Amino acid sequence: MSAPAADAVRTAVGAVPDPELRRPIGELDMVRDITVDGSVAHVAIALTIVGCPAADRIAADVRAAAASVPGITDVALEVGVMTPAERHALTERLRGGRSREMPFGPGTLTRVIAVTSGKGGVGKSTVTANLAAALAERGLAVGLIDADVHGFSIPGQLGLVAEDGTVPQPTRVDDLMLPPVAHGVKVISIGMFLRRGEGDAAVGAVAWRGPMLHRTVQQFLTDVYFGDLDVLLLDMPPGTGDVAISVGQLLPNAEVLVVTTPQTAASEVAVRSGLVARQTGQRVIGVVENMAAMALPDGTTLDLFGAGGGAAVAAALSGADSEVPLLASVPLSPTLRTDADAGTPAVIAHPDDPAARAIADLSAALARSPRGLSGKPLPFRPR
């Protein structure tokens, strides 16, 4: 056995990232015995749970990492599973030694942005999905909670729905849930937990009242392991109902982005969602006008939903002590819709589309105001 060769293999294997936890498996204590016999590396690893969805990918990455070491021509891989005690130790490490608590409240270094609207049908979820993907494209660590429990659509828009209508469930490690990742965004939605059957039952639906809605949002914030995020987006249900109140209570530090369409029927209602958010202590950071004027091939424009609604909402929410800007005007775009239906955000599939460019510019504007330590309590006390 060559000790230097075994050490080199251990270093290479330990650097392989877990696709769900986004941390090196060596750091997660998933690497077991490693020996080298001639040119053959014998590698043993332990996955978090039986039937880990990422097992094949981890195994392939470990084999490739071990084979990359000079002198190694073959890899004999043994894959096991962590013991309950090891899994408990892992979850404690991921939680940073803290008890089960919600990590995104006041004092968090993660920027929390709730995307709201006054009414449905204004493209709020499409804007949110594309904004999340655009922020991830900029290299930010992004999480997305589909808080629109009754009208969830984020899994489909991010390509997490299979042809048979199934959606991947989060991997459970004890009391932690590891969210699926799509286009670099960690995603959680109630649509991942619904049982689906034949016919109408294959669609899946939620008919819950306030307490269940509050509990669901609270569990998403507490039990889902997002890791260290730069930005956490919440796709809110339209209006000012139970979920808006719950998020206001749980995340009074959240910033709010209001989405509207240009017509008065949408803009007047959109103002209310911003006012309710402000009543809970949240700060409205801007307005997005969706389905704005579309440029036609002959050089004319089509104002299908009118004009001026976004500016009107921004003006109504502005006051002497706070200016609320119109951050983006996203033109009506068939491409934005077709890409959403296909499960690939337009900012990735067709970045030159005018609507995609507008949302990419919105992500740039938001990224220019990064999270920071200013005003945040540090986790130590002076002696």
Side-chain angles (χ1 to χ4, degrees):
M1 181 183 75
S2 171
D7 290 341
V9 171
R10 180 175 292 278
T11 299
V13 168
V16 170
D18 183 291
E20 295 174 309
L21 293 171
R22 299 297 180 95
R23 291 168 67 172
I25 63 173
E27 182 182 320
L28 299 172
D29 291 339
M30 295 171 64
V31 182
R32 298 294 184 260
D33 293 336
I34 292 181
T35 59
V36 174
D37 184 7
S39 63
V40 180
H42 298 267
V43 179
I45 61 173
L47 303 179
T48 52
I49 59 170
V50 176
C52 174
D56 291 343
R57 178 174 170 182
I58 293 175
D61 290 349
V62 166
R63 289 182 184 276
S68 70
V69 175
I72 301 300
T73 61
D74 193 16
V75 179
L77 179 63
E78 178 183 340
V79 180
V81 180
M82 286 184 171
T83 66
E86 289 171 334
R87 276 196 300 275
H88 178 74
L90 174 61
T91 58
E92 288 294 304
R93 189 179 308 116
L94 294 176
R95 291 190 187 279
R98 298 184 298 270
S99 60
R100 184 178 176 182
E101 61 183 28
M102 197 271 288
F104 300 113
T108 182
L109 296 182
T110 297
R111 190 175 186 188
V112 182
I113 302 176
V115 185
T116 71
S117 68
K119 62 190 294 294
V122 300
K124 167 187 53 61
S125 295
T126 302
V127 169
T128 306
N130 276 269
L131 177 58
L135 288 168
E137 284 277 288
R138 292 184 170 276
L140 299 181
V142 183
L144 174 52
I145 293 178
D146 189 356
D148 193 352
V149 177
H150 291 133
F152 57 89
S153 63
I154 290 296
Q157 296 205 35
L158 289 177
L160 288 171
V161 179
E163 290 185 2
D164 62 358
T166 58
V167 183
Q169 289 193 349
T171 301
R172 291 182 177 270
V173 180
D174 289 349
D175 62 347
L176 282 183
M177 292 185 285
L178 310 183
V181 180
H183 307 294
V185 180
K186 296 181 179 180
V187 187
I188 193 70
S189 170
I190 195 63
M192 298 172 180
F193 301 91
L194 297 182
R195 293 182 178 274
R196 296 172 181 245
E198 300 295 331
D200 292 341
V203 176
V206 175
W208 291 344
R209 290 184 172 176
M212 282 293 290
L213 296 172
H214 180 90
R215 181 180 176 187
T216 299
V217 173
Q218 189 171 39
Q219 280 195 290
F220 283 172
L221 290 167
T222 303
D223 294 346
V224 177
Y225 178 74
F226 287 102
D228 185 26
L229 294 180
D230 293 302
V231 181
L232 175 66
L233 295 174
L234 288 89
D235 183 38
M236 299 289 290
T240 57
D242 292 312
V243 172
I245 296 170
S246 292
V247 170
Q249 292 173 341
L250 295 167
L251 300 169
N253 55 300
E255 298 171 306
V256 173
L257 195 62
V258 178
V259 178
T260 184
T261 45
Q263 77 268 35
T264 303
S267 61
E268 288 184 347
V269 181
V271 173
R272 301 172 199 164
S273 66
L275 293 176
V276 167
R278 190 172 284 164
Q279 288 173 12
T280 64
Q282 297 172 331
R283 184 170 70 92
V284 180
I285 58 171
V287 176
V288 175
E289 183 182 66
N290 194 30
M291 304 184 198
M294 174 185 181
L296 298 178
D298 63 1
T300 61
T301 58
L302 174 63
D303 292 331
L304 187 62
F305 295 101
V313 174
L317 292 174
S318 296
D321 57 343
S322 63
E323 184 72 19
V324 176
L326 176 61
L327 290 177
S329 185
V330 182
L332 186 67
S333 168
T335 299
L336 196 65
R337 176 192 61 79
T338 55
D339 285 344
D341 289 342
T344 302
V347 293
I348 295 174
H350 296 94
D352 291 330
D353 178 78
R357 289 201 304 268
I359 297 176
D361 290 344
L362 171 63
S363 74
L366 293 176
R368 282 196 292 269
S369 301
R371 62 180 181 165
L373 290 172
S374 178
K376 307 293 186 182
L378 298 179
F380 62 83
R381 296 178 180 177
R383 292 182 177 177

